Amino acid sequence: MALARRFGAALSKISGTQHCAFSVSAAVAAIQKMTRVRVVDNSTLGNTLYHRPPRVIHVYTKNGVGKVGDKVLLAIRGQKKKALIVGHKMPGDRMTPRFDSNNVVLIEENGNPTGTRIKVPIPWHLRKLEGDYSKLLAIAHRFV
Amino acid sequence: MRIEKCYFCSGPVYPGHGMMFVRNDCKVFRFCKSKCHKNFKKKRNPRKTRWTKAFRKAAGKELTVDNSLEFEKRRNIPMKYQRELWSKTVEAMKRVEEIKQKRQARFIMNRLKKGKQLEKEEAINEVKKNIHLIKAPHAGKAQKLEEKMVEKLQEDVEMGDD
C-alpha cells in the first residue's frame, strides 16, 4: 500500500515538471512600484530613521519602469514625496555606471532638490538634464 | 578622455570598453572585460589570481621599482597648454615607453637565466646517473684490460726481482 502511494506521488511530480502550473512574465527590472530605495542627499526627510524603508509608489514614465533620470513618487515617513532616480542596480546603457543600491534624490514639485548636498557619485550623463535639474547637479559633489 | 586601468587585471580600459561599478562607499571600480568583472563578483583577490599584473608584481615576477614607471603615475595638477610642451611630452612618452619595455624585458630575462643554469646542471646529473643506458657495452673494457695487464706485468717484475 505504502509502495503504491509512493509511486503515485513520484508520477505526479514527473508530470508536474513537464508543464508549468503558474505563469511567468518577463522581468521588468530597474525601479518600479514598491521598490525600496536609498535616499542619498542630506535632507532630514531622507535621513531620519523610520521603521519602514522609503518605497516607490508611482513612476512617472510611459511604462512603469524607472531608469536614471526619471521622476518617481516615494512614500517616506507616511508622506508622499517626489524624487529623481540617480542610480540603479540594474546594468543600464553602455558607458553608464552601475551602482550597488537604487539611489534617489528627493525633489520638490518645481524640480528643486530638498537637500543641500549630494555626497554620493552621480552619473555623468545626467548633465544633459541641465535645464530642469540644474540646481540638483549644482549640489552634487562628485560625478562618475 | 582617459585610458583607465582595470581594477582586477590592471590592463588598459579604452573608451567604449568594459564596465564601471560604484560601490556604496563611493569607491569606483573599472573593469576592462566581463572576465575581470565576473572574478570581482566572485570576490576573488586580484593579488592571488595568477594571471593578473597585481599578482605578478606582488610575487616579484615583474619590474616594480623603476624610474620609467614613475611617469605613469597620475598627476592631479592641471598644466597650462603650451604647444612645445605638448609635442615634447608626446615624444618623451614614446621614448619612455621604449625604455620601459626594454627594462621590463631585461628583468624577466634575468629572472629566467637562473632557470637555464639549473636546467643544465640537472641534465648533467641525469646523464651521469643513467650513463649505463647510453654507454656502449664494451666501451671501457680495452682500457681496463690494459691496466690489468700493466699491473700483472709489474707484479711479475717484482716477483722476478725477489
Side-chain angles (χ1 to χ4, degrees):
Chain A
M1 251 288 262
L3 211 71
R5 223 187 297 146
R6 222 179 289 151
F7 269 133
L11 271 174
S12 65
K13 194 176 177 196
I14 292 166
S15 64
T17 49
Q18 280 175 347
H19 65 273
C20 270
F22 47 87
S23 70
V24 240
S25 53
V28 193
I31 305 211
Q32 52 184 6
K33 286 192 188 172
M34 293 304 275
T35 54
R36 289 159 294 180
V37 288
R38 175 186 169 214
V39 176
V40 293
D41 56 12
N42 67 343
S43 53
T44 37
L45 197 58
N47 287 35
T48 42
L49 270 71
Y50 194 60
H51 57 85
R52 304 188 69 198
R55 275 182 193 264
V56 173
I57 50 178
H58 191 262
V59 183
Y60 293 104
T61 53
K62 292 291 173 187
N63 53 354
V65 182
K67 305 276 181 184
V68 175
D70 292 333
K71 228 193 308 195
V72 291
L73 224 204
L74 297 186
I76 306 183
R77 309 199 99 235
Q79 312 166 21
K80 292 185 285 192
K81 191 87 182 162
K82 289 228 173 105
L84 188 83
I85 302 176
V86 291
H88 48 71
K89 280 183 118 174
M90 179 175 149
D93 266 345
R94 315 290 157 253
M95 301 290 276
T96 52
R98 187 178 83 88
F99 290 83
D100 212 7
S101 57
N102 299 319
N103 299 340
V104 116
V105 174
L106 295 183
I107 234 174
E108 305 291 337
E109 292 301 319
N110 48 15
N112 289 356
T114 314
T116 52
R117 253 183 278 270
I118 305 177
K119 292 249 176 104
V120 172
I122 304 282
W124 216 88
H125 70 96
L126 271 187
R127 279 243 158 97
K128 71 175 188 303
L129 313 164
E130 200 69 71
D132 300 329
Y133 304 113
S134 46
K135 292 217 180 104
L136 196 141
L137 299 171
I139 62 174
H141 276 227
R142 200 172 149 198
F143 286 93
V144 125
Chain B
M1 189 207 81
R2 160 170 239 128
I3 300 175
E4 308 283 350
K5 270 189 158 230
C6 173
Y7 166 78
F8 201 82
C9 67
S10 322
V13 188
Y14 281 85
H17 288 258
M19 244 210 85
M20 174 167 21
F21 171 63
V22 181
R23 205 163 58 179
N24 276 347
D25 60 357
C26 301
K27 183 150 185 215
V28 175
F29 297 91
R30 285 170 209 269
F31 304 104
C32 59
K33 47 191 185 282
S34 63
K35 174 181 182 182
C36 303
H37 185 45
K38 283 184 184 156
N39 275 308
F40 175 79
K41 284 198 279 192
K42 288 187 173 190
K43 299 191 166 185
R44 294 221 179 124
N45 187 356
R47 298 180 117 243
K48 290 192 165 182
T49 328
R50 299 191 83 91
W51 53 272
T52 56
K53 275 277 194 266
F55 172 86
R56 305 206 85 218
K57 299 219 162 168
K61 296 196 185 283
E62 285 205 354
L63 195 61
T64 34
V65 275
D66 195 42
N67 284 339
S68 57
L69 298 173
E70 299 289 315
F71 287 98
E72 284 176 2
K73 295 231 167 105
R74 185 183 177 135
R75 273 143 273 216
N76 286 323
I77 310 166
M79 299 285 290
K80 189 170 177 186
Y81 176 75
Q82 287 158 20
R83 186 176 286 237
E84 328 96 54
L85 184 69
W86 191 262
S87 47
K88 277 214 189 110
T89 312
V90 172
E91 281 173 45
M93 275 163 68
K94 290 186 196 166
R95 183 83 184 113
V96 165
E97 188 66 30
E98 249 183 74
I99 295 174
K100 187 171 62 142
Q101 304 279 29
K102 285 197 191 149
R103 286 192 187 175
Q104 282 174 341
R106 184 177 301 152
F107 183 84
I108 293 178
M109 273 295 141
N110 286 344
R111 194 168 58 85
L112 298 176
K113 258 192 217 165
K114 182 92 167 76
K116 284 217 159 81
Q117 196 189 7
L118 289 173
E119 251 185 63
K120 206 168 181 187
E121 285 175 14
E122 268 284 320
I124 291 174
N125 279 342
E126 200 179 326
V127 165
K128 276 202 187 138
K129 236 204 254 182
N130 303 326
I131 194 80
H132 62 278
L133 292 172
I134 47 178
K135 208 160 77 158
H138 300 284
K141 287 230 174 122
Q143 210 178 26
K144 274 197 183 155
L145 209 67
E146 254 189 68
E147 283 173 8
K148 250 192 189 173
M149 290 190 69
V150 166
E151 262 186 55
K152 251 192 176 175
L153 279 170
Q154 277 193 343
E155 277 179 30
D156 285 341
V157 165
E158 282 171 17
M159 296 258 284
D161 281 346
D162 294 339

